[in-house]
Amino acid sequence: MKRYPFEFDHSRPFLQQVGEWVADVFYEILPEAGFEVRDEQIYMAYQLERAFAQKMTIFAEAGVGTGKTLVYLLYTILYARYTRKPAIIACADESLIEQLAKPEGDLAKLARHLSLKIDARMAKSADRYLCLVKLGQAQADNEDSDLYRAVHDELPGFVHQYKAMQSFHAYGDRKQYPHLNDHQWNKISWDSFQDCFTCEQRHRCGQTLSREHYRKSGDLIICSHDFYMEHVWTYEGRKREGQLPLLPDHCAVVFDEGHLLESAAQKALTYSLKHSVFEELITRLLKGEIRESLAVLIDEAIDRSESLFDTLSGHCEDIPGSDRKRIILGKPLLEEVRRFRRLIEAIEEDLVFESELYTLDQYQLRIVEEHLETIQKALSLFQNSDALISWATEAEDGLTLVIMPRAVKEVLRERVFALGMPVVFSSATLSVNGSFDYIASSLGIDRYLSFSTKSPYDYKNQMEVLAPKWSHGASSEEKMKATVNLLNRTEGRALILFNGKEELLKFKELIPSYPECADMRFWFEGDAEISHLIGSFQRDEASVLCAVSLWEGLDIPGPSLSNVIVWSLPFPPQDPVFMAKREAAAAPYDEVDLPYMLLRLQQGMGRLIRSREDHGIVAILSEEIHHDVKLRKTIEELLPQGVQLQVREPNLQAFRFSFE
């Protein structure tokens, strides 16, 4: 196979030759295959050539339909081959990964029309894989034990057969179990409290085998923002433990929907502490031959950990609409933290002495030491409340303390943007009032390139944006009737976007009582694996997809998606993360709530028009629009040029478009 799709002249700059070939692709090769010439793609190509040549970060803000994905794919593939290192494409979530890598996606188009053989492999987050330990537990003590036994019976033979000359392959991906709903999947999927280092089945685990597969990619590794940031955050720790980093050395990174990177970075840098996990971990040391003084310290630490979480329980309060509990910091709680940390320090000192005696298994000892160091870092942050966001969650096996740093830009600056490689942020929405300084500052980017291009679509004649009026304050009944009316107008073919699971579940409960929709098929996020639901929605043209997480990334051109219904304005939730952001802002509504909502709303509306042939309706079911003049004006300014916000009575008669 040829390394490059053009004859490489070693006497000329490589990227200059790439740029010439890319121009041929967009002006000649793709148009001959039926694609239209897009000036926006050529403009973006020249901008990316600068970024790759100078090894700089670039903000590539390009509207829907500009073909930005094809441009960055061409540059990253060829740059990977030139450097002989894979490039990373980091998407905002798993559904975006599937959109990129699906059989009819952009990678497949490039491979087919340019006669390129592209080695692109997916690196999915750990919680997207089956955990053999949890599967065994679920078979024994769960109401769905028969379901989990069927999953067990479908496992590859090598999982349980220990013999020579076996062939191994990756398995256990969430996508392989589309029939499981999210609750059922969570019972058997990996979670952060699983200790993979000492798991007897780790070398037969689907997650481990998938890593062996994607690390050998020659061109692209496609992962989520969360996964990439976990790689960054665990890089040094995994090396200390003798583990390979999650991702291999790479030559460039593209952050698709890059405006969401900050939240992914915060999530990756999050610590989760639980008493039962600490107790299980620390008691491993008691299995070895240790001095009595250390054994006493371990017993005291277990008691102190239990006391800490008991005290924490008394310092928590519920947050309406959230499964996270607010932590009320007080002297008793901070004193418990101080005492627990002091015991951990004493154990760490004793372990130094024990390691010199070689009475403990060195591998186990290293794991325990690493965990104790992590606990110390987390609790040190917890004692400095100005530097963190914290909350607690309740589960069957006890309370979990979650600690997240407020700012992540120092870590990002040092471990991503200072590495001297091209970094591309790609999205339709990256700037604020034409400036990229806000996102650059929040991510710790000091020097960058940037450009903006608008969408080529004729939105004025392709879409309507409606805001129904309400007689009773947008009551649940009014919104249901308006939604049913809209669904009947387009005979299904709709995406309904909710701002939280509670809204979606309430709609799911009520919709069967409306006979007008009895013949429509509804797909609800959480009932099955998300890419399976998206595929079903796309294939079943008259169906309806109801989702919480598909405000970004969903790309379904054609009549299957002719109606986007925004159930409520997507303001940020009342949870500890956004509470902390509001507390740190001089004007919380203007600096936190409104920008978040506008960005998410713009992304949601962007799901409707995905090609020049598309047309349809966006309906915003909001009461606030009709009473807050400033809010309404801000939303109107957000709409594509030529599109007006139409205020209609709830019966929503006389749409411009028909769907026959």
Side-chain angles (χ1 to χ4, degrees):
M1 182 183 74
K2 286 181 62 177
R3 189 172 174 189
Y4 307 119
F6 55 84
E7 293 300 325
F8 177 41
D9 182 350
H10 291 271
S11 66
R12 298 174 57 214
F14 172 73
L15 287 167
Q16 180 182 341
Q17 297 177 67
V18 173
E20 293 169 355
W21 177 74
V22 169
D24 290 340
V25 168
F26 290 126
Y27 277 129
E28 297 178 12
I29 301 175
L30 290 183
E32 288 178 3
F35 290 78
E36 63 178 299
V37 176
R38 295 177 180 173
D39 291 337
E40 296 87 358
Q41 285 181 315
I42 304 299
Y43 176 70
M44 180 177 177
Y46 284 121
Q47 300 302 315
L48 287 194
E49 183 180 330
R50 290 172 56 210
F52 277 82
Q54 299 175 36
K55 298 182 180 179
M56 286 189 66
T57 295
I58 186 169
F59 293 112
E61 185 176 58
V64 176
T66 53
K68 53 185 176 290
T69 306
L70 294 180
V71 180
Y72 75 60
L73 284 175
L74 290 176
Y75 273 92
T76 51
I77 291 168
L78 294 184
Y79 194 69
R81 295 182 180 184
Y82 179 68
T83 60
R84 298 184 183 273
K85 294 180 182 179
I88 307 296
I89 309 295
C91 301
D93 55 35
E94 302 293 340
S95 62
L96 273 167
I97 294 175
E98 295 293 343
Q99 291 283 344
L100 186 63
K102 62 185 179 182
E104 65 276 17
D106 288 321
L107 281 168
K109 290 177 184 176
L110 287 180
R112 182 168 63 254
H113 295 294
L114 302 181
S115 299
L116 279 176
K117 188 173 182 181
I118 303 170
D119 186 4
R121 309 187 187 191
M122 287 185 281
K124 296 192 175 184
S125 299
D127 59 4
R128 301 290 296 179
Y129 285 93
L130 177 76
C131 173
L132 294 173
V133 173
K134 288 180 69 176
L135 176 60
Q137 296 169 348
Q139 291 181 82
D141 54 11
N142 196 279
E143 65 273 12
D144 293 318
S145 55
D146 290 342
L147 179 70
Y148 297 129
R149 273 193 286 272
V151 172
H152 177 272
D153 292 343
E154 294 172 2
L155 292 174
F158 61 74
V159 174
H160 305 294
Q161 295 174 2
Y162 291 80
K163 59 183 182 181
M165 303 298 289
Q166 289 194 89
S167 175
F168 295 85
H169 59 82
Y171 70 94
D173 183 346
R174 171 70 171 106
K175 193 177 179 181
Q176 295 176 239
Y177 308 98
H179 57 290
L180 299 183
N181 62 39
D182 286 355
H183 175 74
Q184 292 166 336
W185 172 252
N186 290 338
K187 290 286 186 181
I188 61 172
S189 64
W190 181 91
D191 62 61
S192 59
F193 294 110
Q194 300 307 308
D195 187 359
C196 299
F197 299 118
T198 59
C199 179
E200 295 180 355
Q201 303 188 76
R202 62 177 304 200
H203 297 297
R204 296 168 185 269
C205 169
Q207 182 187 157
T208 302
L209 294 172
S210 75
R211 288 178 183 169
E212 293 176 0
H213 173 71
Y214 70 67
R215 291 182 63 86
K216 298 174 183 177
S217 175
D219 293 330
L220 303 176
I221 298 176
I222 307 170
C223 65
S224 66
H225 290 180
D226 290 351
F227 188 82
Y228 187 81
M229 293 316 305
E230 185 182 354
H231 158 74
V232 170
W233 185 235
T234 61
Y235 183 84
E236 295 297 336
R238 292 181 67 87
K239 287 176 66 176
R240 285 197 302 270
E241 293 169 357
Q243 306 291 318
L244 288 172
L246 292 180
L247 291 168
D249 288 342
H250 44 276
C251 64
V253 184
V254 175
F255 293 112
D256 202 337
E257 301 295 355
H259 61 285
L260 299 174
L261 181 63
E262 183 184 12
S263 61
Q266 285 182 314
K267 181 179 176 182
L269 271 59
T270 294
Y271 298 94
S272 296
L273 307 181
K274 182 179 287 189
H275 167 69
S276 59
V277 174
F278 172 75
E279 183 175 16
E280 191 279 332
L281 173 80
I282 202 72
T283 51
R284 291 178 186 173
L285 298 177
L286 297 174
K287 298 175 182 178
E289 296 181 7
I290 60 174
R291 292 170 299 120
E292 184 179 352
S293 60
L294 177 57
V296 170
L297 282 174
I298 290 172
D299 287 337
E300 290 180 3
I302 292 171
D303 292 340
R304 184 55 59 194
S305 172
E306 187 172 16
S307 176
L308 169 60
F309 279 88
D310 286 343
T311 304
L312 176 64
S313 179
H315 283 70
C316 292
E317 63 179 26
D318 293 333
I319 301 173
S322 174
D323 58 357
R324 296 174 175 179
K325 296 176 180 289
R326 187 205 313 263
I327 297 174
I328 309 300
L329 291 175
K331 196 171 181 179
L333 179 58
L334 292 175
E335 180 61 22
E336 285 290 347
V337 170
R338 187 186 65 79
R339 291 173 180 170
F340 184 54
R341 288 194 66 200
R342 192 167 58 195
L343 273 171
I344 297 296
E345 289 172 3
I347 291 174
E348 288 177 318
E349 291 174 1
D350 263 34
L351 287 179
V352 173
F353 185 79
E354 290 286 348
S355 65
E356 295 173 353
L357 298 177
Y358 295 97
T359 57
L360 293 173
D361 179 90
Q362 293 300 301
Y363 182 66
Q364 288 276 8
L365 178 60
R366 190 166 67 247
I367 292 170
V368 172
E369 287 176 330
E370 189 72 28
H371 278 277
L372 292 180
E373 183 181 342
T374 299
I375 291 171
Q376 286 285 36
K377 287 179 181 177
L379 294 180
S380 174
L381 266 179
F382 189 73
Q383 289 177 304
N384 183 10
S385 58
D386 292 338
L388 64 84
I389 303 167
S390 62
W391 65 89
T393 59
E394 188 75 61
E396 295 175 1
D397 56 349
L399 205 64
T400 298
L401 171 61
V402 183
I403 300 167
M404 171 191 289
R406 285 179 185 267
V408 298
K409 59 184 179 182
E410 296 303 326
V411 174
L412 289 170
R413 179 185 287 121
E414 177 185 347
R415 303 188 189 180
V416 180
F417 303 116
L419 298 181
M421 65 179 174
V423 178
V424 179
F425 284 82
S426 174
S427 178
T429 49
L430 289 170
S431 64
V432 178
N433 297 324
S435 171
F436 297 91
D437 289 347
Y438 176 79
I439 186 172
S441 175
S442 65
L443 295 173
I445 301 172
D446 299 320
R447 294 175 61 249
Y448 61 87
L449 303 172
S450 66
F451 70 90
S452 295
T453 60
K454 293 184 178 180
S455 172
Y457 297 146
D458 181 12
Y459 285 101
K460 182 179 180 180
N461 293 304
Q462 288 186 263
M463 72 183 291
E464 284 188 285
V465 180
L466 312 174
K469 278 188 175 180
W470 313 102
S471 301
H472 301 91
S475 65
S476 178
E477 183 180 359
E478 279 188 303
K479 292 173 79 168
M480 288 297 299
K481 287 181 178 178
T483 300
V484 169
N485 197 321
L486 283 160
L487 294 177
N488 277 288
R489 289 286 173 178
T490 55
E491 299 176 356
R493 301 182 174 90
L495 168 68
I496 308 180
L497 292 171
F498 297 91
N499 198 28
K501 289 183 179 179
E502 289 186 2
E503 288 183 351
L504 183 146
L505 293 175
K506 184 65 175 177
F507 178 86
K508 183 179 180 181
E509 176 187 338
L510 294 175
I511 195 62
S513 62
Y514 289 85
E516 304 96 316
C517 297
D519 294 331
M520 294 181 188
R521 284 160 299 284
F522 287 83
W523 311 103
F524 295 95
E525 182 176 353
D527 283 357
E529 192 269 332
I530 190 66
S531 65
H532 175 76
L533 290 174
I534 292 171
S536 299
F537 171 62
Q538 190 168 14
R539 289 188 297 271
D540 188 352
E541 184 178 307
S543 64
V544 180
L545 178 59
C546 304
V548 174
S549 67
L550 295 179
W551 295 80
E552 295 100 357
L554 185 66
D555 184 15
I556 300 183
S560 290
L561 208 173
S562 301
N563 188 350
V564 173
I565 301 173
V566 177
W567 185 259
S568 62
L569 290 178
F571 283 103
Q574 294 296 322
D575 75 0
V577 174
F578 284 98
M579 288 178 178
K581 289 187 175 184
R582 294 182 186 106
E583 290 171 2
Y589 179 79
D590 292 328
E591 296 177 23
V592 179
D593 292 355
L594 188 61
Y596 176 94
M597 185 279 290
L598 293 174
L599 184 60
R600 201 160 173 80
L601 178 62
Q602 188 174 10
Q603 288 283 343
M605 292 191 296
R607 301 313 98 211
L608 181 67
I609 306 299
R610 310 301 296 182
S611 74
R612 293 188 187 276
E613 291 71 39
D614 286 352
H615 63 274
I617 307 158
V618 172
I620 304 173
L621 309 187
S622 164
E623 170 70 359
E624 303 99 314
I625 286 178
H626 305 294
H627 300 290
D628 188 331
V629 176
K630 182 180 177 182
L631 173 65
R632 176 172 171 173
K633 183 178 179 181
T634 305
I635 291 175
E636 288 175 336
E637 292 172 350
L638 193 73
L639 301 179
Q641 187 175 2
V643 177
Q644 302 294 321
L645 182 66
Q646 302 179 43
V647 176
R648 296 278 182 84
E649 297 301 325
N651 58 19
L652 301 169
Q653 296 297 321
F655 288 110
R656 179 186 306 159
F657 304 114
S658 62
F659 300 84
E660 297 179 355

